Each structure stands twice: as C-alpha cells, then as structure tokens.
Amino acid sequence: MAGADRAKEWARHWTYAELPDLDLLRARYVRHTFPRHSHEGYVFGAVTGGVEDVGLPGGMVHAIPGTVVMINPEVPHTARPGQPEGWAYDTLYPSAQVINDIAAEVTPLRGTVGFAENRVTDPYAARLITQVHRAAEEGNALAADTLLRVLVVRLLDRHGSSLPSVTPQAGGARDAERARLALEGRMDAPPTLETLAAELGTSPFALLRAFKKEYGMPPHTWLTDARVRRARRLLDAGVAPADAAVAVGFTDQPHLNRHFTRIVGVPPGAYRRERARTYKTAPCPPP
C-alpha cells in the first residue's frame, strides 16, 4: 500500500529565468512529511486539492483549497498530510528582496515587511499563485511577472506589516547566535553540544534552551537544514550531488538524498536537472 501511495506522489521544484529570486514548487504528496525547517525568503502556498497541515510556532494550520499559507523568512515550520489522500499545492518562494522591493514601491510599509497571519481564506489570491505557475510553465514572462506582483500587492495590502526592529540580544540569545556562527563555519565537522557549550562558556542545556528559543529548533535540526540550504546553493552552481554531500558534511550522497528530499520536497538530482534546463515552454506535472 505504501508503494502505491508513493507512486501517486510527484513534485517539481524549479526556477523560471525571467523571474529571478523566485523558486516554484508544484507537487502532490500522500505520505511525504516535511521536518522542521525554515526558508531564507517567503513562502506563499495554495492547496489545490486535499488538506495540508502546517506546523508553525503559533500552532497547527489546516490549509485547504481556497486558502493561502504565508510564512515569513526564517520561521521554522513543518508540513504533513492533513488527510489520508494527502494534498496537492502550488507554492511560490520569493526572496526577501523581491517582496520588500514591491512593498517599497506600492505600499507605505518600510523596512522588512512580514505577515501577521499564517493562513487566510482568499480564493482569488490562491488562484493567482496557480496562475503564476501556469504562466511560467508556458514561458509567458509578462503574465507571470504581472500576476506575481498583483498577488504580492494584494497580500501586502490586506495582511502585510513592517516587522519590528531587532532588539539588543540578551546573554542566551548572544550564545545562540555564536553557536550558529560556529556551526556554519564547521559544518563539515561540527562539535558536540558539550564541546560547543564549553567553547562558549555556558552549559549544554542552557545552550540548547537558548538555541531553541532563538531559532525554533535544536542545534542538530538547524544544522541539517543549514546543510541542505548550502547543498542547494552548490547544486545551483552545477556541483554534482555526491560532491555537494561531502562539502556540506553529509556522510555520502544517500545521506544527502534523504534529508534533501524531506526538506526540499524533491531529490537533489531532480533539483539539479531542473536548474540545468532552459525554460521556454514546460509541461505541467500530471493531475
């Protein structure tokens, strides 16, 4: 039964050259679950069938057709099927630069913008997300760019706000940031929690609590997510998956494959092949 469920799953994660700083994911998942992770940019998702359960710091969000899920940069979240049949969705991942440039041009919002609501009922905005996908797949750059801007302005006008400025960090937050920087610099050979805490002059449990409070996940989960992010950048640059795996500290390519597929939604080989293609017209995945 599990094999039959897997056969029903498909996913395409790609970029359209005419819309820089935007990733697109169209997929249907039945048994796939996304572990806790975050994105450098924004997430705008529209479920087109079934139910997706999205775990966010404020609780679980149930996304159904006609709703739009909005996630700000660096907000940790999970995703899983909300019913046995799973879910299908179209998702846009615009960079922070894209969203903030549009906000500066057409709204009174200044600084870094964000969205206070994670899920809104807005069938029109959900259709716009799907239409951006279809326009990009058809190679219609004018339509794709226009529809993306209409979508972003609508969401900003209705749900956008300026994010609060960063306040001075307390001691625990400073330790968490120093730990993050240490893990980034030693990604291929990270220290144990005890060693890292000793280097920072704190205790393992104090560091663990501070890190989870600051980044929404423990250091080892954050490190896996960071490794996958760095592997994506290497794959974008044309590096082979096996070489990317070693460069970011995974044991081997199967180790990378497992974590990359869970977090990104497609295997690294398929991700790299999509990056290597030139899109004029592109077929949609099966319904």
Side-chain angles (χ1 to χ4, degrees), residues 82-162:
Q83 62 178 26
E85 295 78 13
W87 84 98
Y89 67 161
D90 297 333
T91 304
L92 304 174
Y93 301 95
S95 70
Q97 189 69 51
V98 167
I99 302 304
N100 285 282
D101 283 352
I102 294 174
E105 181 181 354
V106 298
T107 77
L109 300 174
R110 293 296 177 264
T112 301
V113 302
F115 301 91
E117 299 172 83
N118 298 123
R119 185 195 74 95
V120 296
T121 300
D122 191 336
Y124 177 62
R127 288 195 299 274
L128 284 172
I129 292 172
T130 294
Q131 289 168 3
V132 172
H133 272 264
R134 289 181 176 168
E137 288 163 350
E138 294 167 358
N140 189 336
L142 179 60
D145 190 17
T146 301
L147 292 165
L148 175 64
R149 291 173 185 275
V150 171
L151 167 72
V152 172
V153 170
R154 180 181 179 87
L155 295 179
L156 287 172
D157 282 345
R158 294 181 170 218
H159 313 291
S161 63
S162 296

Side-chain angles (χ1 to χ4, degrees), residues 180-201:
R180 176 183 61 80
L181 293 172
L183 293 174
E184 285 180 343
R186 297 151 68 180
M187 194 171 286
D188 58 340
T192 65
L193 180 64
E194 183 176 5
T195 299
L196 184 58
E199 292 175 357
L200 299 177

Side-chain angles (χ1 to χ4, degrees), residues 34 49 56 70 84 98-99 110 144 150 172 175 211-212 214 238 254 263:
F34 288 87
L56 290 152
M70 303 176 293
V98 167
I99 302 304
R110 293 296 177 264
V150 171
D175 287 341
F211 200 99
K212 289 178 68 175
E214 192 70 14
I263 289 175

